[in-house]
Amino acid sequence: MDHPAPGHGVSAGEPSLNLAVVGNCMLNALIDPQARIVWACFPHLDSDPIFCSLLQPKGRNSNAGYFAIELHNLSGSSQTYVRNTAIAVTTLYDTHGGCLRVIDFAPRYKTYGRALHPPYLIRRIEPVSGSPRISIRIRPLTNYGAHAMARTLGSNHISFRDGGESPFRVTSDMPISYLSAEAPFVLDRPVNLILGPDEVLEADITDLVREYYTRTETYWYEWARYLSVPFEWQEAVIRAAITLKLCAFEETGAVVAALTTSIPEAPHSGRNWDYRYCWLRDAYFVVHALNRLGVTKTMEEFIRYIINVAAMEEGGGDLKPVYPVLPGRPLTERIAPALQGYRGMGPVRIGNQAAEQVQNDVYGSVVLAAAQMFFDKRLPRMGDVALFQRLEMLGARAAQVALEPDASLWEYRGRASVHTYSSVMCWAACDRLAAIANILGLPEREAHWRAEAHRIRAAILERAWNPAMNSFVGTFGGNEVDASLLHLHEVGFVSASDPRFIGTVEAIEKQLRRGDHMFRYAAADDFGTPETAFTICTFWYIDALAAIGRRDEARDLFEKLLACRNHVGLLSEDIDPRTGELWGNYPQTYSLVGLIIAAMRLSKSWRAAFEPAL
């Protein structure tokens, strides 16, 4: 069998975003179609990557930073997931009729009603046919590709240490001498490898892997089974939902924007950012999408995260747009000098300067993420007056800053304006607080928040509407649109049937649509003129088209965007509208959220699907 096409616009042999993702809400790994782990942070989602070859280490470490299962005389490969799970299967073929499969997963299962996620990555290599001859190469690096890790051999493991806090070991039921020497051998029986903390595994490795596999498979089958999926595009929605779940760090409730850093938004653009952190805005979108599918646990965990974040800022500090998965650690942005970057396109950034920016929409994002806690009767513990009072503190700040300049959700680094979307999200915070006060039976607080919402909305309608353009505009008094305006109907600021919203959609498609894709804005920013389409914006456009009655157009565009997914059904942040190639950090939660929301809006209903044609 031939290797699947490397992807739109990708040359054979180049690093690409054709990568499977495995994980367990504690750690993750990205695996290429030749069964190499090319990216894995350990022990947390935003930790130093022990495998970083995706970003091409320099110098003497240029041939390191990966965990490879190399089949000699490789002729082709294929890669897929076990249906409805986060278990990846890579099948390798050699020129002599030999074949093997590599099964990758991170254990996740339920015990006594709790979901457990041992900090392990498991690789099982199984012979399928012939006499496949393989070598296993484990070459971790530390300090973002700067140093090789010291190795210590045990009777059935190799320990890797760097002098830091996160040593690990690979334990196996194969001869450790072969593993240590990277020596070739004929795979005549299954081989199991467990990567985890540098601690003794007090169990038979083969039995443990078998048990972990069975329980992990069962967990994901059960998790997917209860998703409220649309009738159409179910496989795409389920894969997106599982991947969103993998981007949640369950210990704290944080949801990261993506699992990588510094995949450029466009070739040689310098738009290289570290997305391995929790943007409150992005997390709101993830919570919103999963809630639509009936997955409310992520919301409950994220609210716990928000409470801890807000408690840190109660001394008078503004809510930051982004936080680490463990709140309190610094996100100071710096360069990793030992990594060339994706296809050599540096710089590779660690941390994110956005943590220092003012982005006023975050207050609305937090309140909207929490609002369902007060209305959803399925939840074992619903929102109460204490949570409402915490949210009121954020609402008070939203009311203060609603009409003030900020860096916007697009995180401009060189300018500040009063951005319409930020003001609308501050309005949404006040509007939802009024609704929550009503359901809690607090009429005075309801009246207060309705008055604040009315004040902010009146100012937006006066200052963000451009009658000459027949459109809302991106900044107060401006004459340019940006794609965030497509979201105005979704948050309830205007109805989809409002002529002002329809005019805004028409202005946006005229200025920002490029073929089948949508740019977030067209004007030059701190890094020049944007070159790639921002995938979530195309999904917002699809959603807006459906909302204003252009449903057939929306469905056609949605199908075309689905065709841009990689071979395992995932998306990054950006797409080159000329080639369809994926760019930007991966997998991007924004993009997968857009896929889910659009599919649910556009799909025919289950009832309609089974009704006989008249």
Side-chain angles (χ1 to χ4, degrees):
M1 182 179 294
D2 293 333
H3 181 288
H8 307 280
V10 181
S11 300
E14 278 191 314
S16 79
L17 297 182
N18 286 332
L19 302 169
V21 179
V22 299
N24 62 1
C25 304
M26 176 76 173
L27 46 76
N28 296 84
L30 306 186
I31 305 156
D32 76 8
Q34 286 76 47
R36 290 186 298 255
I37 296 180
V38 296
W39 184 262
C41 297
F42 186 84
H44 300 148
L45 305 186
D46 61 356
S47 298
D48 187 359
I50 55 175
F51 302 120
C52 57
S53 61
L54 182 65
L55 298 185
Q56 296 184 254
K58 296 179 181 178
R60 62 184 178 183
N61 292 324
S62 59
N63 189 23
Y66 56 81
F67 186 160
I69 312 296
E70 292 188 1
L71 174 61
H72 292 247
N73 302 307
L74 179 71
S75 65
S77 69
S78 62
Q79 191 173 54
T80 188
Y81 282 104
V82 175
R83 190 177 72 90
N84 293 359
T85 76
I87 301 170
V89 180
T90 308
T91 306
L92 305 179
Y93 306 86
D94 69 24
T95 55
H96 305 298
C99 175
L100 63 85
R101 70 170 64 95
V102 181
I103 300 169
D104 286 289
F105 67 100
R108 184 173 175 84
Y109 53 90
K110 283 191 174 180
T111 297
Y112 303 120
R114 295 184 298 121
L116 301 182
H117 41 65
Y120 301 136
L121 290 171
I122 294 179
R123 316 202 75 185
R124 178 174 172 84
I125 313 166
E126 299 177 342
V128 177
S129 64
S131 300
R133 191 163 176 259
I134 69 171
S135 298
I136 300 175
R137 308 188 195 281
I138 308 174
R139 299 182 178 180
L141 296 173
T142 186
N143 193 20
Y144 288 85
H147 306 295
M149 299 184 74
R151 304 190 315 163
T152 303
L153 270 60
S155 58
N156 64 348
H157 73 271
I158 302 176
S159 293
F160 296 89
R161 294 178 174 271
D162 63 350
E165 298 180 357
S166 302
F168 70 93
R169 68 169 57 183
V170 175
T171 306
S172 181
D173 52 10
M174 67 172 283
I176 291 301
S177 296
Y178 280 109
L179 193 60
S180 173
E182 301 182 350
F185 63 96
V186 174
L187 184 71
D188 57 1
R189 61 179 177 82
V191 165
N192 300 288
L193 303 110
I194 303 176
L195 186 156
D198 193 18
E199 301 168 354
V200 175
L201 281 176
E202 296 182 345
D204 179 84
I205 296 165
T206 305
D207 291 344
L208 186 62
V209 169
R210 185 182 298 114
E211 178 186 359
Y212 276 155
Y213 179 91
T214 300
R215 299 182 75 176
T216 300
E217 184 181 52
T218 299
Y219 171 86
W220 288 113
Y221 282 162
E222 287 297 300
W223 190 85
R225 180 181 185 181
Y226 293 104
L227 294 175
S228 301
V229 296
F231 179 78
E232 297 179 272
W233 307 297
Q234 290 182 42
E235 290 184 3
V237 169
I238 292 169
R239 180 55 48 204
I242 289 172
T243 309
L244 289 182
K245 182 68 174 173
L246 297 184
C247 291
F249 185 65
E250 198 164 67
E251 286 197 346
T252 63
V255 181
V256 299
L259 299 177
T260 59
T261 178
S262 302
I263 308 296
E265 294 179 14
H268 304 288
S269 63
R271 300 175 187 267
N272 301 7
W273 318 115
D274 193 347
Y275 277 12
R276 299 170 299 152
Y277 309 115
C278 182
W279 270 258
L280 302 185
R281 175 192 315 111
D282 299 48
Y284 152 64
F285 281 110
V286 171
V287 164
H288 176 60
L290 291 179
N291 283 352
R292 293 280 296 272
L293 293 172
V295 182
T296 58
K297 187 98 183 321
T298 303
M299 171 184 64
E300 297 173 77
E301 292 164 350
F302 179 57
I303 299 309
R304 175 166 49 90
Y305 178 81
I306 288 172
I307 289 171
N308 282 299
V309 162
M312 292 189 332
E313 310 297 355
E314 284 179 0
D318 291 332
L319 204 60
K320 297 179 178 63
V322 57
Y323 291 87
V325 297
L326 184 63
R329 293 188 297 175
L331 286 184
T332 305
E333 188 171 290
R334 62 194 191 279
I335 303 299
L339 294 172
Q340 298 180 66
Y342 182 72
R343 299 189 192 168
M345 300 176 190
V348 171
R349 291 186 169 94
I350 308 164
N352 201 298
Q353 188 184 316
E356 303 169 14
Q357 290 186 348
V358 173
Q359 297 177 26
N360 293 330
D361 66 294
V362 297
Y363 300 99
S365 296
V366 169
V367 174
L368 264 63
Q372 187 167 334
M373 295 284 293
F374 297 87
F375 298 91
D376 194 332
K377 303 295 185 182
R378 297 172 298 173
L379 301 178
R381 181 181 177 184
M382 296 183 64
D384 55 16
V385 172
L387 177 58
F388 173 66
Q389 290 173 342
R390 286 186 177 276
L391 295 177
E392 278 199 300
M393 290 188 286
L394 301 179
R397 188 60 181 146
Q400 288 179 329
V401 303
L403 308 178
E404 294 183 2
D406 73 348
S408 96
L409 81 162
W410 306 128
E411 301 185 342
Y412 295 116
R413 294 195 168 202
R415 63 177 185 261
S417 302
V418 181
H419 290 95
T420 302
Y421 180 80
S422 296
S423 298
V424 166
M425 290 300 284
C426 289
W427 164 83
C430 299
D431 178 76
R432 300 318 193 264
L433 285 169
I436 294 169
N438 174 264
I439 202 170
L440 292 176
L442 303 171
E444 291 184 3
R445 300 314 299 159
E446 179 185 4
H448 169 79
W449 290 115
R450 291 215 181 279
E452 290 286 33
H454 179 77
R455 172 183 65 84
I456 297 167
R457 187 172 191 273
I460 296 170
L461 293 177
E462 178 185 354
R463 299 170 62 186
W465 173 255
N466 187 318
M469 295 174 59
N470 190 38
S471 174
F472 287 103
V473 286
T475 58
F476 281 16
N479 56 12
E480 295 177 345
V481 294
D482 73 67
S484 67
L485 302 171
L486 294 165
H487 205 59
L488 297 188
H489 79 101
E490 184 68 26
V491 297
F493 185 76
V494 291
S495 70
S497 60
D498 190 316
R500 292 171 296 187
F501 182 69
I502 295 172
T504 301
V505 174
E506 292 171 347
I508 288 173
E509 63 188 353
K510 183 183 298 183
Q511 294 188 32
L512 301 183
R513 183 170 177 174
R514 305 289 187 273
D516 296 326
H517 303 277
M518 187 67 65
F519 278 45
R520 51 191 159 180
Y521 47 82
D525 59 19
D526 317 301
F527 291 82
T529 303
E531 302 172 56
T532 52
F534 203 61
T535 305
I536 184 61
C537 297
T538 309
F539 282 121
W540 284 347
Y541 176 57
I542 290 167
D543 191 52
L545 287 179
I548 66 176
R550 294 162 60 181
R551 190 177 181 86
D552 289 344
E553 290 178 66
R555 285 180 61 93
D556 178 66
L557 198 57
F558 181 65
E559 293 279 6
K560 291 176 178 176
L561 198 50
L562 285 182
C564 293
R565 293 173 300 153
N566 68 8
H567 66 300
V568 289
L570 301 182
L571 288 163
S572 63
E573 179 185 45
D574 306 272
I575 295 175
D576 187 327
R578 298 159 298 179
T579 66
E581 184 178 359
L582 302 182
W583 287 92
N585 282 307
Y586 172 89
Q588 179 73 14
T589 56
Y590 251 167
S591 302
L592 299 174
V593 163
L595 186 159
I596 291 169
I597 298 300
M600 297 191 77
R601 177 180 285 276
L602 293 172
S603 173
K604 66 179 69 173
S605 71
W606 283 80
R607 179 177 178 180
F610 289 104
E611 286 179 346
L614 298 179

